[in-house]
Amino acid sequence: MSWQGDVWAQSPGFDVSAAEIAELVKGFDDPSQLQAGGLHIQGQKYFLLRADDRSIYGKHDDTGIVAVRTKQAVIVGHYAAPVVAGEATKVVEQLADYLISVGY
């Protein structure tokens, strides 16, 4: 899947560049670049924790990224302390499951 869309929605102040989006989307099909160089979101490098055809997780200090691909979208969640990785992951993965169940 190549990225061919626009940003549907984003939180104020969470601006991800087109290059970062392209890098992320490519990582679902071929995570080798993310494994070698890390994940970059908003100019910050995240250590890659997981990358497969559905989910990509990254961590930097007490912040992290959870990205999940659905049929038509990529949901990117960013969390910082006091939120923990498990809580953020659960929310983003459940939202992705819902979107997939309704055809997105």
Side-chain angles (χ1 to χ4, degrees):
M1 173 179 149
S2 63
W3 178 55
Q4 299 176 351
D6 294 319
V7 174
W8 291 356
Q10 66 187 33
S11 297
F14 188 71
D15 298 314
V16 182
S17 73
E20 290 172 336
I21 292 171
E23 174 187 76
L24 177 64
V25 170
K26 183 179 177 186
F28 288 105
D29 294 322
D30 178 11
S32 61
Q33 287 296 104
L34 298 178
Q35 291 165 340
L39 171 64
H40 298 86
I41 300 291
Q42 290 191 294
Q44 178 61 59
K45 181 179 178 180
Y46 290 83
F47 176 74
L48 189 67
L49 299 174
R50 173 184 177 159
D52 59 36
D53 63 349
R54 176 187 161 98
S55 304
I56 296 175
Y57 305 163
K59 182 115 173 91
H60 174 77
D61 295 334
D62 64 348
T63 67
I65 295 292
V66 178
V68 183
R69 178 167 67 175
T70 71
K71 295 175 185 175
Q72 297 182 32
V74 174
I75 303 167
V76 179
H78 176 263
Y79 65 89
V83 176
V84 295
E87 293 171 350
T89 299
K90 181 178 178 183
V91 169
V92 177
E93 291 281 357
Q94 286 179 338
L95 179 55
D97 287 342
Y98 169 75
L99 289 176
I100 290 167
S101 76
V102 295
Y104 285 96

